Amino acid sequence: MFSELVLNAKKYIQNLLAPLEGQWFYFHNLWHTLDVFQRVNYLIKKENVNDDLGELLQLAALFHDSGCVVSYIWHERYSFEQLKSFLKTVDIYYPEDRIDIIRNIIYCTEVWQEPTNILEKIIKDADLDNLGRDDFFEKTDNLKKETYIIQWIDYSLLQWHEKTLNLLEHTKYYTKTQISERRDNLKNNIILLKKEIKKLKNL
């Protein structure tokens, strides 16, 4: 069950991100947001996080990439601003200390940011979940396309694979659930990516 606030936040995000589908955001889009939201909810249950703290994670998951509609660079900062804008639209008081926690959870989705507590560990694992899944190559291809369209950076396939390999080799999962369910597949994706790099270098 979701709180009324979380349900309203989900509608808010859908209205914000849905119009952008198929335009520029081939990775950081509504489907990625809902994917992370789903994984967060799964990890909340598996890691025995209570409903009160779970709500903070749910809100952070829904808003964590929403700042991309404002700025692609450092979008986590703008994502927090989007959360604050949403809270102004609802007729409830939300404590500042809870807002501060959500801010830290959102900021932790910045790719090289290290988590410091279980909430940040869960959002980190959920956001990087695709790196340890079978659809990894599809997702990274979408991100490459998005990078070109939005940032005008035209990486060759070899450059992109090498850049992605660096990310995978420095990716760490933190929760017991994520380690158990995704770490082996993450390692396998590293092996597969190295094979692709070797092929490209031998062309």
Side-chain angles (χ1 to χ4, degrees):
M1 291 293 293
F2 301 123
S3 68
E4 183 177 355
L5 181 65
V6 170
L7 291 175
N8 287 335
K10 189 176 180 182
K11 292 179 183 177
Y12 184 93
I13 286 297
Q14 287 172 324
N15 291 332
L16 179 69
L17 299 182
L20 303 177
E21 288 297 310
Q23 295 186 44
W24 308 287
F25 298 102
Y26 290 88
F27 181 86
H28 292 98
N29 53 29
L30 177 60
W31 298 113
H32 170 68
T33 295
L34 295 179
D35 187 35
V36 172
F37 180 67
Q38 182 180 32
R39 189 65 180 177
V40 157
N41 287 313
Y42 177 77
L43 291 174
I44 285 171
K45 294 178 181 178
K46 297 291 285 188
E47 297 294 319
N48 298 310
V49 174
N50 64 47
D51 291 344
D52 186 55
L53 294 178
E55 182 180 86
L56 304 179
L57 272 166
Q58 289 164 343
L59 291 171
L62 288 170
F63 281 90
H64 81 283
D65 278 339
S66 61
C68 284
V69 303
V70 179
S71 173
Y72 200 72
I73 305 299
W74 296 108
H75 66 264
E76 295 84 7
R77 272 55 183 170
Y78 294 99
S79 296
F80 177 58
E81 295 301 319
Q82 293 282 359
L83 169 72
K84 291 195 295 183
S85 295
F86 160 71
L87 290 175
K88 292 177 182 178
T89 70
V90 295
D91 190 25
I92 63 169
Y93 168 73
Y94 211 68
E96 286 295 328
D97 60 335
R98 291 176 67 81
I99 295 174
D100 288 343
I101 295 172
I102 298 172
R103 177 196 63 212
N104 292 335
I105 298 172
I106 291 174
Y107 284 4
C108 194
T109 62
E110 197 279 321
V111 66
W112 302 116
Q113 187 69 35
E114 286 287 325
T116 61
N117 56 54
I118 185 58
L119 303 183
E120 294 175 7
K121 288 177 181 179
I122 286 176
I123 196 71
K124 197 75 173 181
D125 284 354
D127 194 29
L128 299 178
D129 185 56
N130 63 89
L131 300 184
R133 297 194 320 226
D134 293 339
D135 62 350
F136 157 70
F137 280 97
E138 175 188 346
K139 298 298 184 183
T140 190
D141 285 347
N142 287 341
L143 183 57
K144 182 178 184 296
K145 185 176 182 180
E146 179 181 284
T147 301
Y148 172 69
I149 291 174
I150 295 179
Q151 295 187 285
W152 292 95
I153 303 176
D154 190 13
Y155 291 104
S156 69
L157 189 55
L158 176 58
Q159 289 173 328
W160 183 256
H161 280 346
E162 289 178 333
K163 178 181 175 67
T164 305
L165 178 62
N166 181 59
L167 172 61
L168 263 64
E169 289 183 328
H170 288 87
T171 293
K172 176 183 177 182
Y173 288 136
Y174 297 91
T175 63
K176 291 180 180 179
T177 304
Q178 195 75 3
I179 291 170
S180 173
E181 296 183 3
R182 296 290 193 252
R183 186 169 62 180
D184 287 348
N185 215 35
L186 172 65
K187 292 179 179 178
N188 187 57
N189 284 336
I190 290 174
I191 293 172
L192 293 174
L193 191 58
K194 286 181 176 179
K195 288 180 178 178
E196 291 299 314
I197 290 172
K198 186 176 181 180
K199 287 180 185 177
L200 290 170
K201 288 184 173 180
N202 290 333
L203 288 179

